[in-house]
Amino acid sequence: MKRPSAASILLAAVPFVGMCLSVDLWDRVEPRVLGVPFNMAWMLAWIALSPALMGIAYWIEKRR
Amino acid sequence: MSPGATALSIIFAIVVIGSFTGFLAARHRTSSLEEWAVAGRGLGLALVWILMAGETFTTFSVLGVSGWIYSKGGPTLYVLAYLTLGQTFIFFFGPAIWEHGRRLGLQTVGDFFAVRYRSSLLGAVVALAGAVFLVVYLQLQITGLGIIVEVASFEQIGRAPAMLAATAVVASFVMASGVRGVAWVSFLKDFLMVAVAVFVGFGLPWAHFGGIGAMFDAVIRAKPGHLVMPGGTQNLTHSWFITTVLVNSLMFAWPHFFGGIFTAKSADTVRKNAIIMPFYLLPLGLIIIAGCAAILIAPGISNGDLALLTAIRRTFGPGMLGVIGGAGALTAMVPAAIHILTASTLIAKNVYRPLFAPAMSDDATARVARLTVVAVTAVALALALNSSATLVGLLIMAYSGVAQFAPGIILGILSRRVSSPAVLAGLIGGLAVAGGLSFTGRDPFLGLNAGFIGLIVNVALVAGVGRLTPARPSGFE
C-alpha cells in the first residue's frame, strides 16, 4: 500500500481538533446559531466541513 | 379501528414491504458464502453508501440518541463527533483492507487476523469476541423493535411478545437474502428515515413551541446546563467526551463495518464512501433536536429511550405514529440483519471451521452460518428480554471492546515487525481492562472512557511482548 502523504494526514487531523480535542472551547449554549445552541451548531458545521477536507485529501492522494 | 390498531397495521405493512424488497433483491443469486457475506464484492458506491449508512443509522441512533439528549443532555454530542471522525480511519485504512481482502479472499475481520498473522487461534479469538459484541448490538435493535411496538400499540401489546415476533421476521429474512438483500431494504428504510427525521426535527418544535429557536429558549430556561456537558449526568465530562470519541472513532474495527468494506467493488469506492458518509449524519442532528423538544413535551419519563415516541404520540395522530414506527422498525431490522449475518459468518468460518472441521468447504460453511443465525438470534433475544440497561449504555460498552481490535488491524497493515503473540496479548489485556471496568460500573474511570484505558494497556502489551517475540513473515506478503 502506498503511504498517504503528510498533507492528507494533516487535513484529516483538522476535524479531530475541531470536533474532539477542542471541546473546552465550544461546549456552550451561547451564542445561538439560528436558535440552535452553539455546541450543537458547531458539530453540525463540522459534519459538513469534514467531507470537504477529506475531499481535498482524496484529490491530493489521487494526483500522487 | 382503535388508534393502536391503526398504528400497528401501518407498521406491519411497512415491514412486509421491506422484507419483500430484500427477498426479491436476493433472488436468482447464488447461495455461496462469498455472495451471502460480501455480496460477491460487487456493490457500487450508491449501494455501499446506503449499506454502511444503514449500519450506522440504527434504532440506537433514533431512540437511543433522542433518549440520551432527553435524559443526559450535552454529552450526547459525542455521537455526531465519532461517526464523522470514524470515517477518516476508513479513508486511510479502508482501501488497504479492501485490497488485501480481494487478493486473499478475506470475508471477515477474523479472516484478516488469521491470514495476516498466520494464526487461526488469533482469528478465532477476534471472531468470538466480535460475535459477542455484535450480539450486544443486536440486542439493542431487538429492544428498540419491542419499544416501537409497545408505544405504537398504546401499550396493548407487551414488549416481550413484540420482540419475539420481530426477531423471527429478521432471522428468516437474513437466512433467505444475505447482505445484498439487506442493502436494498436499506434504500427504503433510509428514504423513510430521512423523511421522518425532517418531519419530527421540525414538526415537534413547531407544533408545541412555534419553532426550533423558541423550543431551545424554553428548554434552556427550564433546564439550564442540560445542553452542555456534563448535562444531566455527574461524570460525563470533557475528558470523557474526548476519550470516548477517540475510542468510538475506531469503529471500522466493528466486524460488520469491516465486512462492509469487502462488499465494495473497488478500493476507490471504499474511499469515496468514507468521504461522503458524514452527510448522512445531518438527519441525526434533526433527531437530536426532536429529542430536545421531547424534554418539555413528554417530561418525567424514566427510560429516555421511550421519550421520542411518546412525544410523537402526544403530538401527531396514530397514522403518523404508524409511519414513524414502521420506519423505526426497518431501522432496527436492517442493522439487526447485518449483525446476525456477520456474527454467524464469524462463528461458522473463524471459530467452528478451524476448531472442528478444518476440511469443510466454503459452501458447507455457508450452510453452517445459516444455522448459526438461529443460535445468535436466540441469544440476543434472551438478553433483550432480561436486560434493563439503556441502549446507549450498552453500546458504549461494546464500542470499548471492539476498539481493542484496532491496534492489530492498523499495525497489521503498516508494520512488518508486529508478532501474533504480541497482538493476542494486547487484545486480551485490552479486553480484560475495558470489560473489567465496564462490568464493575467504573466507566468512566478517572474521567476517562474504559475502552481508552483498555487501549493504552493493549498498545503497551503489543509493544512489550513484541520486543520478546520475533515476528514471523506477514501473511499479506
Side-chain angles (χ1 to χ4, degrees):
Chain A
M1 179 184 108
K2 205 164 59 175
R3 300 253 165 171
S5 68
S8 51
I9 292 175
L10 215 62
L11 279 170
V14 174
F16 276 88
V17 176
M19 296 187 93
C20 179
L21 303 176
S22 60
V23 57
D24 269 334
L25 303 176
W26 51 258
D27 184 27
R28 48 200 162 86
V29 168
E30 304 292 340
R32 308 260 295 281
V33 181
L34 301 173
V36 177
F38 186 76
N39 51 3
M40 229 173 262
W42 180 262
M43 284 281 121
L44 293 174
W46 277 100
I47 289 175
L49 199 55
S50 298
L53 293 169
M54 297 316 290
I56 300 172
Y58 178 86
W59 179 74
I60 291 173
E61 293 296 309
K62 196 98 187 168
R63 272 172 45 115
R64 288 166 74 217
Chain B
M1 227 191 305
S2 74
T6 308
L8 280 178
S9 349
I10 297 174
I11 292 176
F12 185 72
I14 291 175
V15 167
V16 168
I17 294 170
S19 307
F20 268 105
T21 312
F23 287 126
L24 289 179
R27 223 176 28 158
H28 307 314
R29 296 280 174 176
T30 58
S31 62
S32 70
L33 191 60
E34 181 81 354
E35 170 62 29
W36 192 62
V38 295
R41 293 174 219 275
L43 302 189
L45 185 59
L47 267 179
V48 172
W49 193 54
I50 218 88
L51 179 70
M52 294 266 215
E55 292 174 356
T56 311
F57 215 104
T58 71
T59 180
F60 149 78
S61 332
V62 182
L63 301 182
V65 167
S66 59
W68 248 49
I69 196 86
Y70 176 90
S71 55
K72 296 199 162 45
T76 313
L77 294 179
Y78 90 93
V79 175
L80 297 176
Y82 88 76
L83 287 173
T84 305
L85 299 175
Q87 296 305 321
T88 53
F89 285 101
I90 299 179
F91 179 92
F92 288 113
F93 297 113
I97 291 168
W98 186 90
E99 289 286 359
H100 292 310
R102 191 199 45 173
R103 203 160 46 86
L104 300 164
L106 313 177
Q107 292 163 335
T108 68
V109 67
D111 290 349
F112 180 95
F113 277 88
V115 170
R116 163 63 183 82
Y117 295 103
R118 298 179 193 271
S119 161
S120 52
L121 171 69
L122 188 53
V125 170
V126 168
L128 196 61
V132 168
F133 300 133
L134 281 169
V135 166
V136 171
Y137 211 157
L138 177 58
Q139 177 199 337
L140 305 187
Q141 312 300 348
I142 294 174
T143 306
L145 277 169
I147 289 174
I148 288 168
V149 174
E150 187 185 15
V151 176
S153 69
F154 290 76
E155 284 80 34
Q156 293 295 299
I157 299 180
R159 203 183 294 182
M163 287 198 260
L164 212 74
T167 312
V169 173
V170 177
S172 44
F173 168 55
V174 176
M175 278 198 258
S177 69
V179 73
R180 185 186 300 267
V182 173
W184 279 98
V185 184
S186 278
F187 264 121
L188 175 67
K189 163 213 159 223
D190 290 331
F191 173 76
L192 274 171
M193 212 51 241
V194 170
V196 164
V198 171
F199 184 80
V200 298
F202 290 104
L204 280 180
W206 184 80
H208 290 267
F209 306 92
I212 288 177
M215 180 273 289
F216 278 117
D217 285 340
V219 171
I220 291 163
R221 218 177 307 119
K223 289 191 143 190
H226 186 74
L227 297 180
V228 295
M229 287 166 242
T233 72
Q234 299 293 325
N235 52 10
L236 303 187
T237 55
H238 286 171
S239 60
W240 169 85
F241 176 87
I242 291 174
T243 49
T244 303
V245 169
L246 292 177
V247 166
N248 284 34
S249 68
L250 298 171
M251 64 186 199
F252 72 95
W254 267 104
H256 58 293
F257 283 124
F258 207 87
I261 292 172
F262 295 138
T263 63
K265 67 174 186 217
S266 75
D268 193 54
T269 306
V270 173
R271 185 161 267 178
K272 279 186 184 149
N273 181 61
I275 299 172
I276 57 177
M277 269 301 279
F279 289 124
Y280 222 88
L281 298 174
L282 293 171
L284 201 51
L286 291 168
I287 296 285
I288 289 182
I289 290 174
C292 291
I295 294 171
L296 296 179
I297 299 172
I301 298 173
S302 60
N303 181 354
D305 297 337
L306 297 167
L308 179 64
L309 284 177
T310 310
I312 288 169
R313 196 170 75 180
R314 281 190 196 165
T315 310
F316 310 110
M320 203 58 220
L321 182 66
V323 174
I324 293 167
L330 285 185
T331 303
M333 282 176 62
V334 168
I338 298 167
H339 300 150
I340 295 174
L341 191 146
T342 311
S344 307
T345 312
L346 281 170
I347 289 175
K349 194 177 179 202
N350 301 117
V351 181
Y352 178 82
R353 181 156 83 174
L355 287 181
F356 301 107
M360 191 163 64
S361 70
D362 271 4
D363 282 352
T365 310
R367 282 194 292 276
V368 173
R370 281 188 167 82
L371 288 177
T372 316
V373 164
V374 180
V376 165
T377 316
V379 172
L381 180 63
L383 287 171
L385 289 170
N386 291 307
S387 170
S388 58
T390 63
L391 300 179
V392 178
L394 278 169
L395 198 59
I396 288 180
M397 215 186 270
Y399 265 94
S400 295
V402 163
Q404 309 306 324
F405 300 158
I409 298 170
I410 292 176
L411 291 171
I413 292 170
L414 293 180
S415 163
R416 287 181 181 185
R417 283 192 310 239
V418 63
S419 71
S420 99
V423 171
L424 186 61
L427 178 62
I428 290 173
L431 286 175
V433 169
L437 290 173
S438 301
F439 281 117
T440 54
R442 291 191 179 82
D443 183 19
F445 185 70
L446 304 173
L448 305 174
N449 174 294
F452 185 78
I453 299 170
L455 266 180
I456 293 172
V457 172
N458 186 333
V459 172
L461 280 170
V462 172
V465 178
R467 280 181 179 279
L468 305 173
T469 51
R472 285 184 294 165
S474 161
F476 285 170
E477 278 160 24

